[in-house]
């Protein structure tokens, strides 16, 4: 990273597929995905919008089940299946840090941009950011700093996967992930809805959160390495970069998103 309301959309069909309940390395039937890790699965259990079909744990008193019991709420939709850790390793792949729990879930239904904007806070727009770990980390920062939603171009954004959900550490369940066909049109919709769109990129002014008092901001971030595309950049109301006095000229896009959000919200911090 360089210096009137619509009904909820149906769940999108996953591009990955496998037969039955899933295959090696976490592949899942179309329209479904595997989630793993304590934070990701606990957040999914607490999300009333999440529909899931299997819940696999390596111990009867797994922390995720204890957390669900403490939280109360809707309760479990299915009985947990007790499996050996090797079964999860084989199902999800040897690199998966599953922490002894996995869930086969349906892909979350997508909200419209109008619905997502009913939530308070800044907006993040991702221009062809494709790495699921980066997108997951951005979701986590969006949740931490009270962002309303993340907007992506449908064909140039990662699917909902276990890797993305694990990196998001539960934020996939709480921050709307809005998919749009045309990103320039989505930016125009944000502007018509009262958002001041700021392309976060080198070559502009220094991003100063205090300068946006009274405005709702949508930060637009470009792809890893390439930055903002020309048309996306020209669609923004302004372009601004992060203040970086050191020798590095760029940051990972997920780090840039976190710093940009912090700059926007820090003026509202309570006094020490």
């Amino acid at each position: 990273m360089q210096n009137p309301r619509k009904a909820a959309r149906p769940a999108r069909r996953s591009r990955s597929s496998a037969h039955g309940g899933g295959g090696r390395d976490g592949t899942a039937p179309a329209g479904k995905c595997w989630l793993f890790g304590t934070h990701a699965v606990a957040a999914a259990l607490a999300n009333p919008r999440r529909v899931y079909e299997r819940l696999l744990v390596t111990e009867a008193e797994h922390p995720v089940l204890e957390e669900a019991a403490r939280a109360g709420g809707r309760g479990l939709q299915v009985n947990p299946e007790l499996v050996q850790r090797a079964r999860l390793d084989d199902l999800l792949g040897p690199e998966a840090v599953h922490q002894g729990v996995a869930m086969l879930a349906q892909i979350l239904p997508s909200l419209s941009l109008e619905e997502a904007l009913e939530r308070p806070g800044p907006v993040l727009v991702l221009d062809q950011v494709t790495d699921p770990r980066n997108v997951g980390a951005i979701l986590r920062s969006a949740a931490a700093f009270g962002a309303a939603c993340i907007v992506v171009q449908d064909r140039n954004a990662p699917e909902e996967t276990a890797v993305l959900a694990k990196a998001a550490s539960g934020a996939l369940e709480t921050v709307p992930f809005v998919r749009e066909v045309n990103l320039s049109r989505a930016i125009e919709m944000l502007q018509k809805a009262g958002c001041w769109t700021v392309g976060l990129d080198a070559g502009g002014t220094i991003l100063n959160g205090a300068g946006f008092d009274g405005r709702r901001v949508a930060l637009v971030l470009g792809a890893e390495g390439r930055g903002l595309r020309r048309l996306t950049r020209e669609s923004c109301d302004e372009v601004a970069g992060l203040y970086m006095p050191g020798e590095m000229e760029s940051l990972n896009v997920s780090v840039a998103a976190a710093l940009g959000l912090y700059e926007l919200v820090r003026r509202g911090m309570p006094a020490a």
Side-chain angles (χ1 to χ4, degrees):
M1 176 65 209
Q2 293 184 340
N3 222 20
R5 184 188 304 182
K6 298 178 182 178
R9 300 173 185 176
R12 304 173 65 258
R13 290 181 61 85
S14 172
R15 294 189 186 100
S16 63
S17 63
H19 296 291
R24 190 171 179 82
D25 297 331
T27 55
K32 302 174 187 178
C33 70
W34 281 101
L35 305 177
F36 61 76
T38 301
H39 290 303
V41 174
L45 289 173
N47 182 5
R49 298 176 64 237
R50 177 66 79 176
V51 177
Y52 61 96
E53 300 176 4
R54 298 180 67 188
L55 179 60
L56 281 57
V57 294
T58 57
E59 53 185 303
E61 297 181 355
H62 192 279
V64 79
L65 301 179
E66 294 177 354
E67 185 172 338
R70 285 195 302 270
R74 61 174 182 155
L76 298 178
Q77 296 177 16
V78 298
N79 291 325
E81 303 172 41
L82 193 61
V83 299
Q84 296 293 322
R85 182 171 292 272
R87 169 60 177 147
L88 292 186
D89 292 340
D90 183 64
L91 180 69
L92 303 170
E95 302 301 317
V97 185
H98 52 70
Q99 299 174 297
V101 61
M103 170 191 286
L104 179 63
Q106 295 183 15
I107 300 295
L108 284 171
S110 178
L111 294 184
S112 69
L113 183 55
E114 292 92 338
E115 287 174 311
L117 287 175
E118 292 178 3
R119 293 163 49 96
V123 174
L124 286 176
V125 181
L126 305 184
D127 182 18
Q128 298 192 345
V129 179
T130 58
D131 187 300
R133 290 178 177 82
N134 276 337
V135 174
I138 292 169
L139 276 163
R140 187 172 182 174
S141 294
F145 293 111
C149 64
I150 291 179
V151 182
V152 299
Q153 187 180 30
D154 189 22
R155 70 175 183 273
N156 290 306
E159 295 286 337
E160 181 179 320
T161 63
V163 172
L164 188 154
K166 185 70 164 59
S169 193
L172 179 62
E173 310 297 328
T174 59
V175 179
F177 201 63
V178 179
R179 294 180 179 268
E180 294 288 337
V181 174
N182 187 304
L183 204 62
S184 295
R185 190 173 300 128
I187 291 173
E188 183 180 352
M189 292 169 63
L190 287 167
Q191 291 165 335
K192 290 181 178 178
C195 291
W196 185 257
T197 55
V198 181
L200 196 59
D201 206 359
T205 59
I206 299 298
L207 184 70
N208 178 15
F212 299 110
D213 279 338
R215 290 178 175 176
R216 187 179 192 182
V217 176
L219 279 182
V220 187
L221 297 99
E224 302 91 344
R226 299 188 302 273
L228 295 172
R229 291 177 295 164
R230 179 186 58 82
L231 183 58
T232 303
R233 185 184 179 102
E234 292 175 352
S235 298
C236 295
D237 292 308
E238 67 174 275
V239 175
L242 297 169
Y243 174 62
M244 292 186 291
E247 296 180 358
M248 297 300 293
E249 296 180 355
S250 63
L251 294 170
N252 174 276
V253 63
S254 65
V255 176
L259 292 176
L261 284 171
Y262 174 77
E263 180 62 33
L264 291 179
V265 304
R266 68 181 177 87
R267 67 187 186 276
M269 288 192 302

